[in-house]
Amino acid sequence: MGRQPVAVIIGMMGAGKTRVGKEVAQLMGLPFADADVEIEHEVGMRIPDYFQRYGEPSFRQVESDVINDMLHDFDGIFALGGGAPMTRSVRDGLADYIKDGGKVVYLMADPREAMERANRGGGRPMLDGDANARWKKLYRQRDPVYYRVANVHVETYGQTPLAAARKMKDMIEERTVHVTGTTIEDYDVRIGEGAMNHLAETLGDKPVRVALIHTQPVQRHSDRARTLLRKGGYEVHDILIPDAEAGKAIDVANGIWQRLGDEGFTRSDAIVGVGGGAATDLAGFVAATWMRGIRYVNCPTSLLAMVDASTGGKTGINTPQGKNLVGSFYTPAGVFADLRTLASLPNDIFIEGLGEVAKSGFIRDPEILRILESHAADLRAFDPETFLGSGLEDVVAELIERTVRVKAYHVSADLKEAGLREFLNYGHTLAHAIEKLEHFRWRHGNAVAVGCVYAAELAHLLGYIDQDLVDYHRSLLDSLGLPTSWDGASFDEVLALMHRDKKARGNKLRFVVLDRIGHPVHLDDPPADAVREAFERIRK
């Protein structure tokens, strides 16, 4: 593949494609090209003159040739003329460009503003005659095509060119993981600054009411979600829940069900969860159970929630007997990992999320481990105040994307955890026991880190891996600031809880262990002395 544009902008005449495109290019330090300018260079005359002399069909052919050449030989921001996407060969070229990872941006300006600018600009052959009537007719024809062709939609109603450019920049720089599978409805996990801007676009026009479920510590982010939802025309019902695991309880869910009933929520309404993993778990569980399932979207605000709880369709609540024992498999309509939310995340809560990131490296993607090794000091020193705009932001975005891809791989093939998906539980058999015995004072990612070391010790004792890989678990996790040992209860207490693990079969324990990096296997009913000895090795 040769050079290709960072983004291609499409939209109506007067939408501001050139003005906003130049601003975006300047913000990103990239060159800018306008297809109409390139065409005029190619034909040696102004477009209105070419139209008049040779007609529209001839112009569209030249336009198509120029655009398709630029799609393979330009590496900046490229704005197209309003009519270009109506040509089949241009649409085909844009589709191929998207397949290669390109971003086609539909710049959606206020029609009244765009119409006024188009009239003011002049020199537009397609508006000859009654300009306003022609513009409206073209808009009706072109808007559905633009919407289908583009994979990024940027609404700029009432915004200055610079504000619109900043919004477009955020959306261009987004990373997207498409989650699909034979038993689930496809959805996207969007990762980047401003990812939450996709809320209304993803919820669609069917819901009237949206229940916004959130915790107090993420108030600033729920405020933003509420503003976006109201701007999208939804009736927003604010539901505040207890923070962390205290929110994942049957009495909390029951209170929300009562609210939904009292406030008239129907099957076509929706739920948005904003917060950490516990909040998104609860929001998904309520969505899965209300009227046997209504649309929901997750807006995770912690690293752990972005890479784990919000993605994959596992929803649930805790009971006195254990964690996540009551729940449902129910996929969201979308997940928005908005990196701006990490700018309010305390260092220790950011670090715990790296436990799940490292786990995904161990079971599937060794490149995650390499990135963690290379940036361990910077990750461990995470400072929310300097995070956005720093070099670390792109590192974290890549770690989130890679970890979500690991999860998507397992979820797509096995939504209901019949086999392959269980590999995502590497380290979790002990981790869930630790969380329960610590009354959930230990954070999930920290418990998973210890659980991974335990699984490595068990695998080594039984001959699956060598001592070097056990030592690598400890050294990598320790370098990130994660715990690698625990001594909070007796082995018998731990064993009793491990028997309640969801992977257990009857009275037999079942673990996930590695036989090499990137290759997990099931370990059924291991010898009792090895299970005990591995535990002794992770005690302080």
Side-chain angles (χ1 to χ4, degrees):
M1 186 178 71
R3 298 193 302 167
Q4 68 174 32
V6 171
V8 176
I9 306 173
I10 64 174
M12 282 297 293
M13 294 173 286
K17 298 185 296 294
T18 299
R19 175 73 186 277
V20 174
K22 286 179 176 178
E23 294 276 13
V24 172
Q26 186 169 357
L27 287 171
M28 299 180 74
L30 295 169
F32 173 79
D34 185 315
D36 286 351
V37 173
E38 299 299 321
I39 292 164
E40 289 184 341
H41 287 161
E42 179 71 20
V43 300
M45 65 178 74
R46 294 174 61 248
I47 286 173
D49 297 335
Y50 191 92
F51 244 84
Q52 188 171 12
R53 184 176 300 182
Y54 299 106
E56 184 179 358
S58 177
F59 170 77
R60 294 301 177 197
Q61 183 60 56
V62 173
E63 180 181 54
S64 174
D65 292 343
V66 168
I67 288 171
N68 280 305
D69 285 346
M70 293 286 284
L71 290 177
H72 296 92
D73 194 29
F74 179 66
D75 53 7
I77 305 298
F78 185 32
L80 306 191
M86 305 305 290
T87 303
R88 178 61 181 270
S89 56
V90 172
R91 291 199 300 275
D92 289 346
L94 292 175
D96 289 341
Y97 163 70
I98 287 174
K99 285 178 186 174
D100 287 335
K103 302 286 181 75
V104 176
V105 181
Y106 176 15
L107 190 63
M108 304 165 68
D110 183 327
R112 288 169 298 182
E113 294 175 8
M115 203 183 315
E116 182 184 333
R117 282 196 295 265
N119 289 338
R120 202 166 54 234
R124 301 180 187 272
M126 297 302 292
L127 295 185
D128 286 348
D130 184 338
N132 283 352
R134 290 278 297 153
W135 193 98
K136 290 176 183 176
K137 181 180 179 182
L138 289 170
Y139 178 74
R140 286 192 297 272
Q141 294 170 350
R142 293 176 177 180
D143 174 65
V145 175
Y146 293 156
Y147 211 89
R148 286 196 304 272
V149 167
N151 60 346
V152 177
H153 304 88
V154 179
E155 187 181 285
T156 64
Y157 288 27
Q159 293 184 328
T160 65
L162 181 57
R166 286 178 175 146
K167 184 175 182 179
M168 187 186 297
K169 173 180 177 288
D170 287 345
M171 295 176 82
I172 289 170
E173 291 178 338
E174 273 182 5
R175 298 164 180 262
T176 302
V177 179
H178 186 64
V179 184
T180 186
T182 55
T183 60
I184 64 174
E185 288 189 31
D186 295 6
Y187 64 95
D188 288 329
V189 180
R190 296 182 183 270
I191 305 151
E193 286 190 46
M196 207 184 286
N197 289 330
H198 293 284
L199 260 176
E201 170 194 329
T202 300
L203 287 172
D205 57 8
K206 287 185 180 179
V208 173
R209 302 165 194 82
V210 175
L212 180 62
I213 298 175
H214 65 97
T215 58
Q216 187 62 47
V218 300
Q219 188 70 49
R220 73 171 79 171
H221 308 310
S222 61
D223 286 348
R224 182 158 161 253
R226 187 183 306 106
T227 299
L228 289 167
L229 290 167
R230 285 180 175 160
K231 186 178 177 184
Y234 305 108
E235 182 184 301
V236 182
H237 297 250
D238 207 70
I239 300 178
L240 183 67
I241 63 169
D243 191 29
E245 297 296 330
K248 285 179 59 175
I250 189 64
D251 59 327
V252 178
N254 188 51
I256 297 174
W257 289 325
Q258 290 181 6
R259 283 275 308 269
L260 298 182
D262 290 343
E263 293 167 19
F265 271 69
T266 68
R267 183 167 283 176
S268 64
D269 292 323
I271 286 174
V272 171
V274 179
T280 56
D281 271 359
L282 179 74
F285 179 67
V286 170
T289 50
W290 184 253
M291 294 195 171
R292 298 188 178 91
I294 65 173
R295 197 168 181 81
Y296 85 106
V297 165
N298 277 333
C299 299
T301 59
S302 69
L303 177 61
L304 181 77
M306 290 176 182
V307 300
D308 183 32
S310 67
T311 302
K314 280 173 78 172
T315 75
I317 56 174
N318 303 329
T319 69
Q321 289 71 38
K323 184 173 179 178
N324 294 329
L325 294 180
V326 176
S328 173
F329 293 97
Y330 190 65
T331 50
V335 177
F336 306 128
D338 195 322
L339 298 181
R340 292 176 187 170
T341 64
L342 298 183
S344 61
L345 204 64
N347 173 273
D348 61 327
I349 301 189
F350 174 83
I351 296 296
E352 70 128 346
L354 296 174
E356 281 285 352
V357 174
K359 175 214 74 178
S360 295
F362 285 127
I363 67 169
R364 176 75 182 170
D365 183 0
E367 182 64 13
I368 289 175
L369 304 178
R370 189 199 66 76
I371 296 169
L372 290 173
E373 280 186 73
S374 301
H375 299 279
D378 290 337
L379 290 164
R380 186 171 184 162
F382 172 82
D383 180 351
E385 293 188 5
T386 60
F387 172 65
L388 294 179
S390 70
L392 188 62
E393 183 179 357
D394 197 53
V395 172
V396 171
E398 183 175 359
L399 287 171
I400 294 170
E401 180 185 4
R402 285 183 171 275
T403 305
V404 170
R405 288 194 186 281
V406 170
K407 187 149 194 176
Y409 165 77
H410 291 85
V411 169
S412 298
D414 178 23
L415 175 67
K416 297 193 174 180
E417 209 165 50
L420 181 68
R421 183 173 179 158
E422 283 190 337
F423 291 146
L424 290 170
N425 287 321
Y426 183 58
H428 284 56
T429 302
L430 178 64
H432 285 160
I434 291 173
E435 290 176 276
K436 176 65 177 167
L437 289 163
E438 291 285 356
H439 305 287
F440 300 108
R441 290 188 296 265
W442 260 58
R443 292 196 168 272
H444 179 69
N446 292 339
V448 167
V450 176
C452 288
V453 175
Y454 174 81
E457 291 283 11
L458 182 60
H460 174 53
L461 284 167
L462 296 175
Y464 285 86
I465 61 174
D466 59 22
Q467 184 64 47
D468 286 348
L469 185 46
V470 181
D471 293 342
Y472 179 65
H473 275 70
R474 290 184 182 275
S475 63
L476 176 64
L477 295 169
D478 184 65
S479 73
L480 296 168
L482 288 159
T484 56
S485 60
W486 178 77
D487 188 21
S490 70
F491 174 71
D492 288 341
E493 291 174 292
V494 169
L495 185 64
L497 283 172
M498 289 200 297
H499 272 290
R500 293 180 189 168
D501 181 74
K502 293 188 292 297
K503 292 186 299 303
R505 299 292 186 267
N507 292 322
K508 295 180 179 180
L509 291 176
R510 192 180 206 216
F511 293 90
V512 174
V513 297
L514 302 180
D515 63 12
R516 62 183 183 274
I517 287 179
H519 194 261
V521 294
H522 286 113
L523 174 60
D524 293 318
D525 198 24
D529 58 344
V531 175
R532 180 184 290 272
E533 175 59 23
F535 180 70
E536 293 301 323
R537 294 186 179 190
I538 59 97
R539 300 182 81 169
K540 292 180 180 177

